[in-house]
Amino acid sequence: DIEFIQSGSIAMFFTEAEKRGLTGLAERRIDRGFSAEMLTAEQVWELEPAISKEVVGGIRFPHDAQVRNPKLVRALAKGAAQLGTKFLFGNPVTAFLREGNRVIGVEVNGAPVHGNTIVIAAGCWSGKIAGLLGYALPIEPARGQMVLAEAMPPILRHTIDGLGVYLVPRADGKILIGATVEFVGYDKRTTLEGTRQLIEAGITLMPELAEKSFVQTWAGLRPYAKNPYLGKLPGFDNIIVASGHHKNGILLSPITGKLICELITTENPSMA
């Protein structure tokens, strides 16, 4: 169970300027065949009574969904293992093996692992891996801190987006508040300032959160790039990159997997 929940989301706006920006987003989504509903403040409170009485309105995206990220990753790994994938956990790639101008594998803890095709999908470390081949891949880490609160009985049904944060009601009754975007290198520490920013914005969106119990905070490193890198590494016929998704890695993982698979097996992906 990956906790796929199609709860819909509501993007809140507190000013007319925010409303104009979100209206443009809604129009773009409608143009692409998705649904979006403009809500007055009263309609927002009818759907989510705990939301701040300071909101001007919101836009509801009824088909938006969520998954529990760690459970999804474990499910994907289990499915891959059942199809014959072998995992070498905790064993970093330290070099590429070459035969002439062609890469024929990688070195892992001094041992060779050969392959006809190599995919660099190492998140924010992808640039370091590509660097072993002398290629500068502009992907860097962007730290995201998150806060988890206990909210039983549940006080939220939709995912809420506003004031630079989002509130996600989980199946276990907890609410996730996320997430900062910080360019601090490979530093996964949580900080008092990051936690403060998230909690203050979360309480402004939903004042009732102030009375809920704090559970924990943690941080992850996103692979930041201006756009995702999907395709062959320039200068190499059998090295493929799938990285740089920044905040949309889980969202774009199915289409990324499909396109990379097509590129490996047919060299003709269905999207160029």
Side-chain angles (χ1 to χ4, degrees), residues 23-220:
T23 299
L25 170 63
E27 291 171 349
R28 291 192 297 274
R29 292 188 63 165
I30 290 171
D31 289 343
R32 288 164 173 77
F34 299 97
S35 297
E37 305 168 2
M38 183 69 71
L39 303 176
T40 64
E42 289 74 19
Q43 289 172 320
V44 168
W45 300 325
E46 184 177 347
L47 290 170
E48 296 291 353
I51 290 300
S52 168
K53 296 302 184 281
E54 301 299 318
V55 299
V56 175
I59 298 179
R60 180 172 179 256
F61 302 102
H63 296 116
D64 280 2
Q66 59 166 293
V67 295
R68 188 79 169 272
N69 298 7
K71 291 189 174 185
L72 174 62
V73 172
R74 285 195 294 271
L76 289 171
K78 184 176 180 180
Q82 290 174 344
L83 293 171
T85 300
K86 296 179 180 179
F87 295 91
L88 300 175
F89 292 111
N91 293 275
V93 170
T94 53
F96 285 86
L97 306 176
R98 297 173 183 258
E99 198 172 78
N101 292 326
R102 185 173 178 80
V103 175
I104 60 170
V106 295
E107 183 179 276
V108 179
N109 284 340
V113 178
H114 294 95
N116 294 324
T117 304
I118 297 167
V119 180
I120 299 175
C124 62
W125 290 271
S126 296
K128 290 182 176 294
I129 299 295
L132 297 174
L133 291 167
Y135 190 89
L137 190 63
I139 296 175
E140 61 179 313
R143 181 170 70 189
Q145 299 187 51
M146 289 153 281
V147 170
L148 193 64
E150 184 70 63
M152 288 298 287
I155 58 174
L156 193 63
R157 292 187 300 162
H158 295 77
T159 295
I160 302 298
D161 186 12
L163 300 177
V165 301
Y166 51 81
L167 309 177
V168 182
R170 295 200 327 197
D172 60 4
K174 295 179 175 63
I175 291 179
L176 177 70
I177 309 172
T180 63
V181 179
E182 305 166 82
F183 296 97
V184 292
Y186 293 91
D187 181 355
K188 287 186 65 176
R189 293 179 305 129
T190 56
T191 64
L192 293 176
E193 175 61 19
T195 301
R196 182 190 66 80
Q197 290 177 9
L198 294 172
I199 292 175
E200 286 186 354
I203 290 174
T204 301
L205 276 174
M206 195 165 63
E208 198 173 332
L209 267 180
E211 304 302 320
K212 301 305 176 184
S213 299
F214 173 87
V215 178
Q216 69 179 117
T217 182
W218 69 95

